[in-house]
Amino acid sequence: MVDGIDPWDELERTHLETATEWISSGAPVYRMRKPDVPAMHLVSYFVVLDEERGVLLLVAHRKAGLWLPTGGHVEPGETPWAAVERECREELGISALASTITGRRPFFLTVTRTRGQGEHTDVSLWYVVSAAVDSIVSYDEEEFTAIRWLTPEQVLGEPLNSLDPHMHRFTRKLASAAS
């Protein structure tokens, strides 16, 4: 699941080691009960990229109060890519099309402690999905208050405390892979 991810930096290398140990331990990887059982569980993030325009989609997540990539928890028995396909339909109303840059494999991995009620640790596999800006005509308004398309430079110009804490690192890694 995580073997093909080439770490971008020392933090991602550490997160990959943590995830590999966790998976190898035989601990449950799927969330069994919302929001925090077990205390560490698997998430599939997917960053939507309009490859022609070079812009990324971020969503204003109601519960987190941050601009995040889309995605969600991997359900029991579901593969992480199947979670991307399901969440893509549920959250954006589009089919998941793997990016030509990354394919269907996870591109980035993070291990992050969530904030707020029901704190837990998300082991997040980050995928890149390709979609044109004009193909997204609606989004899950129960989960998100807004969506924004940003260039990588605009993402990097956003204050980190308004984004997923790893968004700048992901954006740098993606920009490097795309060049």
Side-chain angles (χ1 to χ4, degrees):
M1 187 176 345
V2 301
D3 289 342
I5 300 173
D6 185 27
W8 169 248
D9 56 16
E10 199 54 42
L11 182 56
E12 188 174 14
R13 185 177 319 284
T14 300
H15 285 186
L16 280 162
E17 289 169 4
T18 299
T20 300
E21 289 173 17
W22 171 63
I23 293 165
S24 298
S25 76
V29 296
Y30 302 109
R31 181 175 70 176
M32 303 307 288
R33 194 170 65 243
K34 292 182 181 184
D36 57 357
V37 177
M40 181 180 261
H41 47 262
L42 195 57
V43 168
S44 284
Y45 260 166
F46 58 96
V47 177
V48 179
L49 170 66
D50 182 318
E51 294 185 37
E52 189 175 311
R53 292 183 174 113
V55 291
L56 309 172
L57 178 72
L58 294 180
V59 296
H61 195 276
R62 287 186 188 277
K63 287 183 184 175
L66 298 170
W67 287 94
L68 304 173
T70 43
H73 292 87
V74 180
E75 300 293 334
E78 186 176 49
T79 67
W81 178 255
V84 169
E85 292 176 315
R86 175 180 50 78
E87 293 284 351
C88 212
R89 282 188 310 275
E90 291 174 4
E91 295 180 348
L92 300 174
I94 62 171
S95 295
L97 175 63
S99 164
T100 60
I101 299 166
T102 61
R104 288 179 152 207
R105 300 204 39 88
F107 177 69
F108 191 63
L109 181 135
T110 58
V111 178
T112 309
R113 189 84 182 141
T114 64
R115 357 186 275 188
Q117 186 177 0
E119 287 184 23
H120 58 276
T121 301
D122 283 340
V123 176
S124 301
L125 296 167
W126 296 52
Y127 293 84
V128 182
V129 171
S130 182
V133 167
D134 58 5
S135 70
I136 299 180
V137 295
S138 66
Y139 58 89
D140 183 348
E141 293 184 24
E142 289 183 24
E143 200 164 344
F144 314 129
T145 59
I147 63 172
R148 292 169 56 197
W149 289 94
L150 303 166
T151 65
E153 295 78 17
Q154 289 171 318
V155 172
L156 294 172
E158 289 291 313
L160 195 52
N161 65 357
S162 70
L163 304 170
D164 177 282
H166 304 288
M167 194 67 214
H168 284 179
R169 294 175 44 251
F170 168 86
T171 301
R172 287 186 187 100
K173 183 177 182 179
L174 183 61
S176 177
S179 60

